[in-house]
């Protein structure tokens, strides 16, 4: 038993060294980001900010997803795609949430949603492309169909994420769907509107809230407070752009039978099984 444990440890160590030397850029990004996350986690622990502390732990676990996919599912992720995934996780969780980049930089959320649309399209494309090339399946899909599936997969993920944000806001009173200040509104619920004809109000510079006890609170935001609608539509729109971009890239990649060097950096491939794994099957 002791010899088997030693063999497993030595084989894991050998695999780890091989992975590091085979893709040094990914390993460097992984260790640097992990180092920064650990520093932030220690700082949050000393500040007794346990919510952000557990968010750092979640980030470290998310960093293991690419390795898990390669080891357990036997799918090789290109180095460029793996680096983008790691940077995306770090930018969303550490910079966006803990360092408040979502508030400090208005377009930070937009950038991440655009990247998310691109990445989800790449993942959706890869899932179908892997099945398309697998000898176990007897169907062959056209490049256009692959592109459409990738686009639909990306948009579905985007919509599900907006559902999640809305649920968190309504149930836990968060503000994941960031509010927007607008200076004009149109609604059929305004007192002066008739039936289904919307009434418009322009030039709004402030809104006063009146509570049940008659207290009045001017918001002082310079306009009317839109509750998450414009943020949601902008997120879906930039997700749409990212999905379209990769779907077009993937279409020409399949059309040229995998000769495109750019798309190859984002499309995973199935790893060959070892002899031991084939015997287990």
């Amino acid at each position: 038993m002791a010899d088997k444990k030693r063999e497993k440890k030595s084989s894991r160590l050998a695999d780890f060294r091989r992975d590091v030397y085979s893709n040094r850029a990914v390993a460097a990004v992984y260790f640097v980001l992990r180092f920064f996350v650990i520093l932030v986690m220690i700082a949050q622990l000393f500040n007794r900010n346990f919510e952000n502390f557990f968010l750092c732990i979640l980030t470290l676990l998310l960093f293991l997803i690419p390795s898990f996919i390669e080891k357990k599912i036997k799918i090789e992720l290109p180095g460029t795609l793996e680096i983008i995934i790691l940077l995306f996780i770090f930018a969303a969780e550490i910079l966006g949430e803990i360092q408040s980049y979502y508030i400090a930089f208005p377009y930070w959320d937009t950038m991440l949603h655009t990247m998310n649309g691109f990445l989800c399209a790449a993942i959706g494309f890869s899932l179908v492309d892997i099945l398309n090339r697998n000898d176990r399946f007897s169907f062959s899909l056209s490049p256009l169909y692959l592109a459409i599936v990738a686009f639909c997969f990306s948009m579905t993920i985007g919509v599900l994420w907006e559902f999640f944000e809305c649920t968190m806001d309504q149930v836990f009173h968060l503000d994941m769907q960031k509010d927007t200040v607008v200076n004009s509104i149109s609604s059929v619920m305004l007192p002066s509107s008739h039936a289904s004809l919307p009434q418009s109000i322009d030039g709004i510079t402030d809104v006063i809230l009146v509570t049940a006890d008659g207290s009045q609170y001017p918001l002082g935001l310079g306009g009317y407070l839109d509750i998450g609608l414009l943020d949601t539509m902008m997120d879906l729109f930039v997700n749409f752009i990212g999905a379209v971009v990769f779907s077009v890239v993937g279409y020409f990649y399949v059309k040229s039978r995998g000769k495109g060097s750019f798309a190859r950096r984002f499309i995973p491939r199935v790893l060959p099984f070892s002899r031991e794994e084939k015997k287990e099957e």
Side-chain angles (χ1 to χ4, degrees):
M1 291 292 293
D3 293 335
K4 289 183 177 180
K5 289 183 178 179
R6 290 176 183 175
E7 289 179 0
K8 287 183 178 179
K9 288 183 179 179
S10 61
S11 63
R12 289 176 181 175
L13 183 60
D15 292 340
F16 175 76
R17 290 176 177 174
R18 184 173 61 253
D19 292 339
V20 170
Y21 284 106
S22 63
N23 208 330
R24 297 185 179 183
V26 175
V29 171
Y30 174 78
F31 286 119
V32 169
L33 294 181
R34 191 178 180 86
F35 173 75
F36 281 122
V37 172
I38 293 175
L39 288 182
V40 174
M41 183 172 64
I42 295 173
Q44 300 304 316
L45 183 61
F46 277 108
N47 293 332
R48 296 183 178 274
N49 193 333
F50 298 111
E51 181 180 350
N52 288 343
F53 174 79
F54 287 111
L55 190 60
C56 291
I57 294 179
L58 174 63
T59 303
L60 294 176
L61 293 176
L62 291 176
F63 280 167
L64 299 176
I65 290 179
S67 177
F68 175 82
I69 293 175
E70 291 184 339
K71 300 297 182 183
K72 299 299 181 181
I73 309 180
K74 297 300 178 182
I75 294 178
E76 181 184 12
L77 299 178
T80 303
L81 178 62
E82 193 167 349
I83 289 175
I84 291 177
I85 292 174
L86 294 175
L87 291 175
F88 178 83
I89 295 171
F90 184 80
E93 301 298 335
I94 303 302
L95 298 180
E97 294 292 344
I98 297 179
Q99 300 299 323
S100 300
Y101 274 33
Y102 288 126
I103 299 174
F105 302 98
Y107 294 103
W108 190 260
D109 185 57
T110 301
M111 177 196 70
L112 291 181
H113 275 280
T114 307
M115 189 184 300
N116 177 73
F118 186 89
L119 290 176
C120 287
I123 294 171
F125 182 91
S126 303
L127 292 175
V128 182
D129 188 51
I130 288 172
L131 295 177
N132 210 31
R133 298 183 179 203
N134 198 316
D135 296 333
R136 299 178 183 178
F137 299 93
S138 60
F139 61 86
S140 179
L141 304 179
S142 67
L144 180 60
Y145 185 86
L146 286 174
I148 293 175
V149 170
F151 171 79
C152 293
F153 180 85
S154 178
M155 292 304 300
T156 301
I157 298 298
V159 170
L160 291 177
W161 177 255
E162 294 303 321
F163 286 168
F164 171 76
E165 286 189 347
C166 183
T167 302
M168 292 297 103
D169 291 351
Q170 296 299 316
V171 176
F172 298 103
H173 302 288
L174 302 179
D175 189 21
M176 297 186 70
Q177 294 178 299
K178 298 298 184 290
D179 303 332
T180 306
V181 177
V182 297
N183 300 111
S184 63
I185 60 173
S186 298
S187 175
V188 296
M189 297 185 67
L190 294 174
S192 57
S193 63
H194 300 282
S196 60
L197 297 177
Q199 176 70 25
S200 298
I201 300 179
D202 301 320
I204 302 174
T205 58
D206 198 4
V207 172
I208 299 176
L209 297 181
V210 181
T211 59
D213 60 359
S215 301
Q216 298 185 8
Y217 301 95
L219 296 182
L221 297 174
Y224 177 81
L225 191 62
D226 172 78
I227 310 297
L229 175 61
L230 295 180
D231 176 75
T232 298
M233 297 310 298
M234 175 60 72
D235 291 345
L236 291 176
F237 179 69
V238 296
N239 191 104
F240 168 84
I241 293 175
V244 168
V245 169
F246 187 85
S247 297
V248 172
V249 172
Y251 171 81
F252 287 105
Y253 172 79
V254 177
K255 194 75 172 177
S256 61
R257 299 191 178 184
K259 294 180 181 179
S261 59
F262 177 78
R264 195 180 296 119
R265 300 176 182 177
F266 304 96
I267 299 178
R269 68 180 185 89
V270 179
L271 290 171
F273 287 95
S274 62
R275 294 180 179 178
E276 291 77 8
E277 290 168 337
K278 288 182 177 179
K279 289 180 180 179
E280 292 179 0
E281 289 187 348

